[in-house]
């Protein structure tokens, strides 16, 4: 394998740059030419790429976002789009691809492998941490810490004014961010799409807590479960308390990656190159416990990552 392509696709996540750097420098260490494609699959289809060297990835381990840019490319989801991408890859002479992204990006990688046998290895990167077969995906730890540092600040003002704050975090289909943020922030309630919730019960709990002397509270809601504003309206109506809401939004996707995300990104980037060079394909590089693993993309995409309900229970016990 002489030329390896790299792309980032889907929603950006902090640590993608560290992963790109790892892929590029591992390639260089092993005598392989690395090529970066811009704007995800679109860059492959349009042959928008650049040969990379050690300098092109200098100084990026500390930065969020992705120097290769990213996109959600709908054309690539169609067979004609993938045929176009294959023509481009063959024209440039790319022997294998490392695809860094979430489930949509990994689905594209799997199709390229299944339909044309093109060598691909996926690297899980999504702040949502909803990709199965790896304990962590790149960016989750940073997003949780970014949200947490914002919520810790809100706690100060909630306490000072005896207010309830409803804070919406990202996670359109799941509550992984909400659970870890809620537990670590000491939230009084966590609302996620995976669990039924009742705003009347939550309101009653808030009233009981206030009777016991707890005058301010934080409620974390995953965007996929409910809108913070609606939760605010309902709790305000039921309790009569002063309730404010806040949507953290895309700030959770940016910023300098934590040490955890940098180490993970470097390990998975290097592992992806090693897998390609040892002839593996159609797999996702992941981490389970302390071990680097490789799982068939078909298995990854056919599985579902379950929320750890014991964390929710723990958060509840911590709040009473
Ligand atoms: O999948 C990552 C994510 O940040 C989700 O948590 C969020 O719902 C979505 O992307 C937002 O996507 P976009 O940036 O396209 O609005």
């Amino acid at each position: 394998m002489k030329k390896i392509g790299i792309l980032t696709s889907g929603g950006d996540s902090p640590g993608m740059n560290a992963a790109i750097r790892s892929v590029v420098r591992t390639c260089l260490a092993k005598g392989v030419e690395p090529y970066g494609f811009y704007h995800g699959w679109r860059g492959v289809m349009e042959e928008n790429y650049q040969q990379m060297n050690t300098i092109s990835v200098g100084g990026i381990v500390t930065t969020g976002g992705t120097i290769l840019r990213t996109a959600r490319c709908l054309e690539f989801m169609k067979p004609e789009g993938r045929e176009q991408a294959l023509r481009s890859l063959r024209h440039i002479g790319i022997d294998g691809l490392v695809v860094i992204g979430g489930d949509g990006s990994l689905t594209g990688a799997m199709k390229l492998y299944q339909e044309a046998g093109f060598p691909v290895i996926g690297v899980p990167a999504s702040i949502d941490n909803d990709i199965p077969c790896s304990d962590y995906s790149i960016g989750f730890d940073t997003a949780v810490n970014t949200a947490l540092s914002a919520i810790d600040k809100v706690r100060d003002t909630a306490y000072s004014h005896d207010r309830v704050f409803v804070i919406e975090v990202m996670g359109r289909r799941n509550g992984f961010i909400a659970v870890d943020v809620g537990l670590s922030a000491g939230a009084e309630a966590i609302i996620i799409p995976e669990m039924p919730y009742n705003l009347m019960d939550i309101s009653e709990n808030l009233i009981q807590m206030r009777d016991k002397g707890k005058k301010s509270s934080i409620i974390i809601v995953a965007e996929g479960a409910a809108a913070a504003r609606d939760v605010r309206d309902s709790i305000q109506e039921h309790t009569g308390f002063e309730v404010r809401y806040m949507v953290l939004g895309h700030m959770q996707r940016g910023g300098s990656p934590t040490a955890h995300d940098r180490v993970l990104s470097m390990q998975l980037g290097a592992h992806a190159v090693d897998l390609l060079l040892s002839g593996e394909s159609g797999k996702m590089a992941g981490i389970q416990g302390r071990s680097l693993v490789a799982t068939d993309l078909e298995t990854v995409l056919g599985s579902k990552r379950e929320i750890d309900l014991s964390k929710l229970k723990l958060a509840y016990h911590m709040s009473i």
Side-chain angles (χ1 to χ4, degrees):
M1 199 163 275
K2 293 205 167 53
K3 295 182 177 183
I4 287 183
I6 315 147
L7 62 91
T8 51
S9 162
D12 61 333
S13 64
M16 278 183 160
N17 278 335
I20 295 168
R21 175 176 172 271
S22 174
V23 171
V24 168
R25 292 195 173 163
T26 305
C27 282
L28 295 173
K30 306 212 164 174
V32 177
E33 291 174 14
Y35 289 79
F37 288 89
Y38 291 98
H39 296 108
W41 294 112
R42 179 145 48 91
V44 179
M45 289 165 60
E46 296 173 359
E47 297 197 26
N48 182 7
Y49 69 96
Q50 194 182 332
Q51 185 171 355
M52 306 194 75
N53 56 41
T54 196
I55 302 301
S56 45
V57 291
I60 63 169
V61 75
T62 59
T63 57
T66 158
I67 59 164
L68 292 177
R69 315 296 199 281
T70 185
R72 301 189 200 274
C73 180
L74 296 179
E75 292 93 320
F76 187 78
M77 293 299 142
K78 299 179 196 148
E80 311 84 68
R82 292 194 289 279
E83 277 158 25
Q84 175 59 44
L86 273 173
R87 278 195 294 276
S88 303
L89 289 166
R90 288 184 180 132
H91 180 234
I92 306 163
I94 299 293
D95 302 303
L97 259 187
V98 176
V99 177
I100 304 168
D103 54 357
S105 318
L106 298 178
T107 302
M110 179 183 75
K111 290 200 168 148
L112 207 59
Y113 169 70
Q114 286 178 339
E115 291 167 2
F118 195 86
V120 289
I121 294 290
V123 171
S126 166
I127 64 160
D128 292 349
N129 207 31
D130 56 349
I131 304 166
C133 308
S134 180
D135 294 347
Y136 289 100
S137 55
I138 292 170
F140 172 69
D141 186 65
T142 307
V144 168
N145 279 288
T146 300
L148 182 62
S149 94
I151 293 160
D152 286 348
K153 293 181 177 75
V154 172
R155 244 300 165 215
D156 293 344
T157 177
Y159 172 83
S160 304
H161 284 264
D162 292 341
R163 279 176 178 159
V164 176
F165 266 83
V166 178
I167 303 175
E168 183 181 312
V169 296
M170 274 189 164
R172 62 187 147 182
R173 287 189 294 262
N174 57 70
F176 294 104
I177 295 178
V179 168
D180 275 29
V181 165
L183 182 56
S184 51
E188 277 65 33
I190 303 172
I191 300 174
I192 56 171
E194 294 90 336
M195 284 290 286
Y197 62 93
N198 183 325
L199 293 178
M200 291 287 274
D201 290 348
I202 292 175
S203 300
E204 280 306 313
N205 278 342
L206 292 176
I207 292 167
Q208 281 174 21
M209 284 181 207
R210 197 158 282 215
D211 291 345
K212 285 194 222 156
K214 197 185 240 189
K215 304 243 184 285
S216 63
S217 302
I218 299 285
I219 295 172
I220 301 297
V221 54
E223 62 172 333
R229 188 181 177 153
D230 297 343
V231 175
R232 189 276 309 264
D233 290 350
S234 168
I235 291 179
Q236 192 156 265
E237 191 185 320
H238 288 126
T239 60
F241 298 160
E242 210 178 350
V243 187
R244 297 281 189 272
Y245 79 96
M246 207 172 95
V247 178
L248 294 184
H250 285 78
M251 61 101 76
Q252 295 160 95
R253 286 233 297 255
S256 184
T258 57
H260 175 277
D261 270 329
R262 295 182 200 191
V263 171
L264 176 71
S265 304
M266 283 186 246
Q267 287 180 304
L268 295 186
H271 187 38
V273 174
D274 289 343
L275 287 167
L276 275 177
L277 294 182
S278 62
E280 301 275 11
S281 183
K283 299 197 168 175
M284 184 187 81
I287 192 157
Q288 288 173 11
R290 292 178 181 202
S291 308
L292 293 175
V293 296
T295 312
D296 285 337
L297 282 167
E298 198 171 359
T299 306
V300 173
L301 295 163
S303 322
K304 188 172 181 294
R305 194 179 168 83
E306 298 295 339
I307 208 98
D308 181 353
L309 293 178
S310 71
K311 284 187 183 172
L312 263 191
K313 195 169 165 198
L314 182 60
Y316 176 67
H317 286 163
M318 293 298 110
S319 74
I320 51 180

